[in-house]
Amino acid sequence: MDSAFAEISNPPSPSGMANTSSDALAESDDCALAESDDCVREVRRCIEVIRDKLNYDVPTSIATMRSLEKMFANIVEAPDEPKYRRIRLTNPKAARLLGAKGVQPLLVKAGWRAAVEQMEEIWIHDGSLPLLRTTRQILSSLAASDAAAHAASEIVRAQNLAKATKVKLDTLADIKADRESYMERNGKSNGAQSGHGGTHKAPIVNAIEFAPAVAADR
């Protein structure tokens, strides 16, 4: 296990670890609890708090679940190693992990307890190994599924962003083309009028001057 989550300078005395001895935790490594077990239901509820669908920070949630899964895996794979059953809050990484939303309630449900040793606050696991194994499996499964879903959503988001960017660029290109076409047409029209200005003005003046005479004849 990463030393961030199990840092021990002096292993506890045998008397201090009476509840975490191999005799007290002599369950099969292959043993796990059924999903219908009440403890498993409680564990799942705590994990859903970590996932927090209302304020879902996906990368942080996945990282938290993976850190917990790794921590539990070390105990499952080496149940007789005392250091894996202890979390020292003097370690900054461990303190940040336990400070994440929903983590401490999950630890309690998974068989951990807070304690004080030599004026230092620590967490000790002395609970059921099958429950811890099941909790590890749930964390691993949910972290993997959330990571896959997040990766897929990021691909869709990138595709949508690319489409929106293309639409924007196409629109700007159309506007530019229309403006250039207008300027070109307007420039030609102005050139034609400047070359034949007298011809256009004379009929208008003559028509205005002739208008009273036409009215008088009628």
Side-chain angles (χ1 to χ4, degrees), residues 117-131:
E117 184 180 85
Q118 297 179 353
M119 304 299 291
E120 178 186 353
E121 185 179 358
I122 62 173
W123 280 74
I124 301 173
H125 180 265
D126 54 9
S128 164
L129 192 59
L131 178 58

Side-chain angles (χ1 to χ4, degrees), residues 144-166:
S145 63
D146 284 358
H150 179 60
S153 68
E154 286 296 294
I155 291 174
V156 172
R157 188 179 71 85
Q159 291 173 342
N160 290 338
L161 180 60
K163 289 178 181 178
T165 301
K166 185 178 184 303

Side-chain angles (χ1 to χ4, degrees), residues 174-193:
D174 289 342
I175 293 173
K176 181 180 179 181
D178 289 344
R179 182 172 59 188
E180 290 175 350
S181 177
Y182 170 79
M183 295 297 292
E184 183 179 356
R185 291 195 306 270
N186 192 49
K188 289 182 179 180
S189 176
N190 290 338
Q193 289 181 7

